[in-house]
Amino acid sequence: MALIELDLAAPPDPRLDSRPPVRHYRFAGLILAAVLLVTLGGAAPGPHTLWRYLGAVPPPVGAETQSQLAGDRVYTVASAGGVRIATAWQAESPPRKLWTVRLAARVAGPDTVGYGGVEARPAGDVVLLSDGPQTTVVDARTGAVRWTSPVGVTPLGSGRIGLVQNQAFRPGTAYDQDSGAPGMLYFSSTGEPHTEPPIRTEIDGVDLYTGRTVWTASVPGAINVFTTRGDPPAVLLLASDRLERLNGETGVVEHSRPLPKIGADRPAGGRLTDGLLVVRYGDYAVDGPAAGYAADSLDLRWQRRVAAVLLDPPNCGDLLCAGPRSALDVLDPATGRAAWRASENVDLGEQSGYVLERDAGTGAPLRLADRATGATRADLTGWAAALPTGGDGQPLVLRRGLAAGKSEFGVLLAGPPDRVRRLGVSAGPVSDCTADQRYVVCRGNDGLEIWAYSS
């Protein structure tokens, strides 16, 4: 369907000396309105919605391993022999290449266990290019290399500070992989396995633009490290006997509390979810206690016993849940008690204050539910996928297949759920799609295809 832009600035037609009464136009106007409704009703993508194809980012030389949509940019990382090739593209029509940087691929030692992938992560004025734990930090505007780190760098939400961890192990505890000896293993930040936990863990807060160390903290033994949003962001340190909250910009300890045993169990690990640090005590392989601590004050909110789910545990993302997929409860963060039971055989995720239920087998979105009650707020039946987005508050972008390999896209806007608004259709087959509040990016025949939308 062709769209005609009306010249709203054109001068009006000359006024007639004698204009017929309005009733003379009424019948013809009704006919015209009916024709327009029939002609445009099935094709219009929805009120105030725009879907525009910007173009395709050509496939980089070598095997592309990762692409990242961030704001109005698309980052790609490719591998060619012993070189990583990272490129930044501006999302405009057509997409414009901003810079390309080539880096030597990481060389892992014979005793190093590989973990972490090849990816690009924008953070403030820089982009972190990761190759396993090895990180190269480049200028977001030019691609110039700013500094490098042999271990992973975790950017805080402010985009100014990053976290670097290093462990100190007792000499002689490196694990001999050729021996195949059983037992617990503890890994360093670069991937080397050890048979004993570290003597201490050191955390550095570094300036993301320069790599300069801004603050340092040292904690005995092995710890879990979590970061919170906000300005300034915070860093939570979970040790076997203590929980601490640090100011992410300065490293100053804001709150600290001891974590005594619950019965015979000590803290074994935790996760940050729903504004709580949920600490699991004892052995994860058996039923055991868990406690929820407020992420801001570290106050104890609740304590409950949780069941171990060893086979095919559900994926709840950042949502607080408990139980197997056959009896999966969404928990109330304030009390730790079950608020409502999800549908059977689903995975869950948080979506702009609501709960997204997805089919556990296919990943297809099923419905959007009220966070407190589980009541259905939007039926998503018929859509094949909910596209990954870049963060909180993003609209829910959906995709489903059409004839000839094409895909149709729709959006459920942030805020009170209403209905899925149709965005548009791809010209050919696409896969591996991601989205944010302005763009949709998919892998297509010509490379990474980019659409802009607004609503």
Side-chain angles (χ1 to χ4, degrees):
M1 179 185 71
L3 297 180
I4 302 174
E5 183 177 355
L6 300 181
D7 186 1
L8 300 181
D13 292 334
R15 173 176 290 183
L16 298 177
D17 291 337
S18 178
R19 185 170 55 186
V22 175
R23 64 177 181 272
H24 289 191
Y25 296 104
R26 184 173 300 156
F27 183 69
L30 289 174
I31 294 177
L32 178 60
V35 171
L36 289 175
L37 181 63
V38 172
T39 304
L40 300 179
H48 312 297
T49 303
L50 175 67
W51 176 257
R52 184 165 60 99
Y53 180 67
L54 299 182
V57 170
V61 177
E64 185 184 345
T65 56
Q66 189 266 352
S67 64
Q68 174 71 41
L69 170 63
D72 59 354
R73 289 189 177 186
V74 176
Y75 298 91
T76 63
V77 181
S79 300
V83 178
R84 310 295 192 201
I85 306 170
T87 305
W89 298 84
Q90 185 73 34
E92 56 186 41
S93 184
R96 176 170 57 92
K97 183 164 70 173
L98 298 176
W99 48 259
T100 294
V101 59
R102 289 172 169 80
L103 307 168
R106 172 177 177 257
V107 178
D111 295 327
T112 300
V113 176
Y115 67 91
V118 178
E119 62 176 353
R121 293 173 294 157
D125 295 328
V126 298
V127 180
L128 281 62
L129 304 176
S130 301
D131 186 356
Q134 178 176 291
T135 304
T136 301
V137 183
V138 303
D139 186 284
R141 185 175 59 87
T142 66
V145 175
R146 299 295 308 174
W147 58 283
T148 61
S149 170
V151 299
V153 180
T154 301
L156 300 186
S158 64
R160 298 184 293 268
I161 299 293
L163 296 185
V164 174
Q165 294 185 58
N166 285 286
Q167 298 82 17
F169 290 89
R170 187 176 65 84
T173 61
Y175 176 67
D176 182 4
Q177 296 191 53
D178 293 334
S179 70
M184 289 287 294
L185 293 178
Y186 305 86
F187 292 87
S188 72
S189 294
T190 53
E192 290 83 10
H194 292 258
T195 57
E196 294 181 4
I199 300 172
R200 68 181 182 277
T201 301
E202 296 180 350
I203 305 104
D204 292 331
V206 298
D207 185 304
L208 280 175
Y209 199 73
T210 65
R212 177 180 62 89
T213 299
V214 177
W215 57 264
T216 298
S218 182
V219 181
I223 61 172
N224 290 164
V225 180
F226 308 91
T227 62
T228 70
R229 298 179 177 86
D231 197 4
V235 179
L236 303 182
L237 306 181
L238 172 62
S240 62
D241 63 348
R242 180 166 298 276
L243 178 59
E244 292 186 340
R245 176 186 167 101
L246 279 58
N247 183 301
E249 299 285 340
T250 65
V252 172
V253 177
E254 297 178 336
H255 299 286
S256 179
R257 66 170 298 147
L259 296 181
K261 293 181 180 179
I262 298 179
D265 296 323
R266 285 193 176 277
R271 66 189 186 102
L272 190 63
T273 176
D274 272 338
L276 296 171
L277 182 60
V278 180
V279 179
R280 179 67 155 87
Y281 289 73
D283 191 343
Y284 276 87
V286 298
D287 295 355
Y293 296 90
D296 51 1
S297 65
L298 305 188
D299 292 339
L300 176 64
R301 296 301 190 208
W302 47 262
Q303 182 177 315
R304 70 190 304 269
R305 195 161 187 84
V306 296
V309 182
L310 301 181
L311 298 177
D312 194 24
N315 179 6
C316 294
D318 291 333
L319 208 64
L320 191 59
C321 69
R325 287 199 178 97
S326 58
L328 182 58
D329 290 327
V330 176
L331 305 185
D332 179 356
T335 65
R337 293 192 291 266
W340 51 276
R341 178 154 292 182
S343 307
E344 287 193 12
N345 299 316
V346 299
D347 287 323
L348 305 176
E350 194 275 337
Q351 179 68 43
S352 302
Y354 298 93
V355 177
L356 176 64
E357 287 190 352
R358 304 183 306 274
D359 184 276
T362 65
L366 302 175
R367 68 180 186 121
L368 204 63
D370 184 271
R371 176 66 180 82
T373 66
T376 299
R377 301 302 301 271
D379 184 2
L380 305 178
T381 304
W383 293 93
L387 304 191
T389 57
D392 293 341
Q394 301 279 12
L396 179 63
V397 180
L398 305 163
R399 179 170 73 93
R400 61 185 168 197
L402 300 177
K406 298 180 180 180
S407 286
E408 181 181 25
F409 297 88
V411 62
L412 191 66
L413 301 178
D418 181 12
R419 61 183 177 85
V420 177
R421 299 183 184 180
R422 178 182 177 273
L423 287 176
V425 177
S426 67
V430 293
S431 62
D432 299 333
C433 298
T434 59
D436 62 10
Q437 72 273 20
R438 296 176 57 192
Y439 301 99
V440 173
V441 176
C442 299
R443 191 183 305 274
N445 292 332
D446 298 325
L448 290 176
E449 302 193 34
I450 307 174
W451 292 266
Y453 77 92
S454 61
S455 51

